[in-house]
Amino acid sequence: MTESLVQYTLEAYLKSLFDTDKATALRIVQEALDNGLTPESVIFDVVVPGMEQMIGGMISDNLVTLSQHFLASQIAEEVTDRLIPLFASAPAIQGTVVIGTSFGDFHGLGKKIVTGCLRARMFKITDLGINVAPERFVEAALETGAEVIGVSSMMVHTATSDRGPKKVRQLLRDQGLEQKIRLIVGGAPYRFHENLYREVGADAWADTAANAPAAIAALVKEVRQ
């Protein structure tokens, strides 16, 4: 019964995402809970696979639009935040991350999608928004105990600017934080220059939102060892 309910819920949930129908998606989640699915099952058997299928469709066959992708990440965040307190036991936090768009950059969609993926995967996220000063990234990481800082840049000049990731790296170095906090970057410029992430001082980069959780988990593991 549970397996068929999960499959039915996932199919209905995916249809609502493709229809960009947030109200229906949230209703499907609530109906699944009312019918006996646990909060854990709703997140890990419905919301996370739904997110992964949307990302997979966007990468492989371009059937998924940015609006559908954004909706999936928005719902993943909302459902995850609502259901985590209902877990039978507190879920293990995979890591603590501070994320934002680099200084001078006002593009927030890609960062929002990554944030949804990370929250659904049980990362604790502080989203600093867009046009974030490098000093603020480091301050927020220290305030929250973050192991990873994520800097998104959608333009070459904001990726390579002296007020972008390079400055975050310098601040980490100057404050003796490089062993405690890792730096990851993402965004369009890095897809066209495979070594750009190293040139701006990052420890790693993620080419897609789907790859971000694994890349960040690896950095968290380095910090914790």
Side-chain angles (χ1 to χ4, degrees), residues 5-17 28 46:
L5 179 57
V6 167
Q7 186 61 34
Y8 168 80
T9 303
L10 177 57
E11 290 174 1
Y13 180 75
L14 276 169
K15 184 178 185 304
S16 69
L17 296 183
I28 289 165
V46 178

Side-chain angles (χ1 to χ4, degrees), residues 78-146:
E78 187 169 329
V79 172
T80 300
D81 288 345
R82 181 160 68 91
L83 294 190
I84 284 177
L86 304 179
F87 278 21
S89 59
I93 299 300
Q94 299 300 306
T96 302
V97 182
V98 166
I99 191 170
T101 302
S102 56
F103 186 75
D105 201 316
F106 295 86
H107 296 84
L109 179 58
K111 172 186 63 62
K112 184 72 172 177
I113 292 169
V114 170
T115 298
C117 290
L118 291 172
R119 283 201 168 121
R121 285 295 189 183
M122 299 300 142
F123 286 87
K124 182 179 179 183
I125 307 297
T126 298
D127 186 347
L128 300 177
I130 59 176
N131 188 33
V132 181
E135 294 81 5
R136 182 59 191 140
F137 279 112
V138 177
E139 289 170 1
L142 290 172
E143 289 167 1
T144 61

Side-chain angles (χ1 to χ4, degrees), residues 27-180:
R27 177 177 56 77
I28 289 165
V29 165
Q30 186 57 53
E31 287 176 354
L33 293 168
D34 293 343
N35 287 326
L37 282 190
T38 65
E40 292 91 335
S41 182
V42 168
I43 289 179
F44 294 115
D45 297 331
V46 178
V47 174
V48 170
M51 189 83 196
E52 290 173 344
Q53 288 195 42
M54 295 294 282
I55 292 170
M58 189 169 191
I59 295 169
S60 63
D61 50 29
N62 295 319
L63 292 177
V64 180
T65 66
L66 276 175
S67 61
Q68 290 167 323
H69 202 165
F70 176 73
L71 178 69
S73 67
Q74 189 179 54
I75 293 172
E77 280 193 72
E78 187 169 329
V79 172
T80 300
D81 288 345
R82 181 160 68 91
L83 294 190
I84 284 177
L86 304 179
F87 278 21
S89 59
I93 299 300
Q94 299 300 306
T96 302
V97 182
V98 166
I99 191 170
T101 302
S102 56
F103 186 75
D105 201 316
F106 295 86
H107 296 84
L109 179 58
K111 172 186 63 62
K112 184 72 172 177
I113 292 169
V114 170
T115 298
C117 290
L118 291 172
R119 283 201 168 121
R121 285 295 189 183
M122 299 300 142
F123 286 87
K124 182 179 179 183
I125 307 297
T126 298
D127 186 347
L128 300 177
I130 59 176
N131 188 33
V132 181
E135 294 81 5
R136 182 59 191 140
F137 279 112
V138 177
E139 289 170 1
L142 290 172
E143 289 167 1
T144 61
E147 294 107 338
V148 178
I149 292 172
V151 183
S152 172
S153 304
M154 293 304 292
M155 298 177 290
V156 172
H157 72 272
T158 57
T160 59
S161 163
D162 289 337
R163 295 287 288 159
K166 289 179 184 177
K167 182 64 173 181
V168 176
R169 168 57 65 194
Q170 180 187 327
L171 292 168
L172 292 175
R173 183 182 303 117
D174 291 348
Q175 296 179 40
L177 298 171
E178 291 182 295
Q179 298 307 310
K180 297 179 179 179

Side-chain angles (χ1 to χ4, degrees), residues 146-148 178-182 218-225:
E147 294 107 338
V148 178
E178 291 182 295
Q179 298 307 310
K180 297 179 179 179
I181 302 172
R182 293 291 192 265
L219 295 178
V220 170
K221 184 177 180 181
E222 290 178 10
V223 171
R224 292 180 176 178
Q225 282 179 339

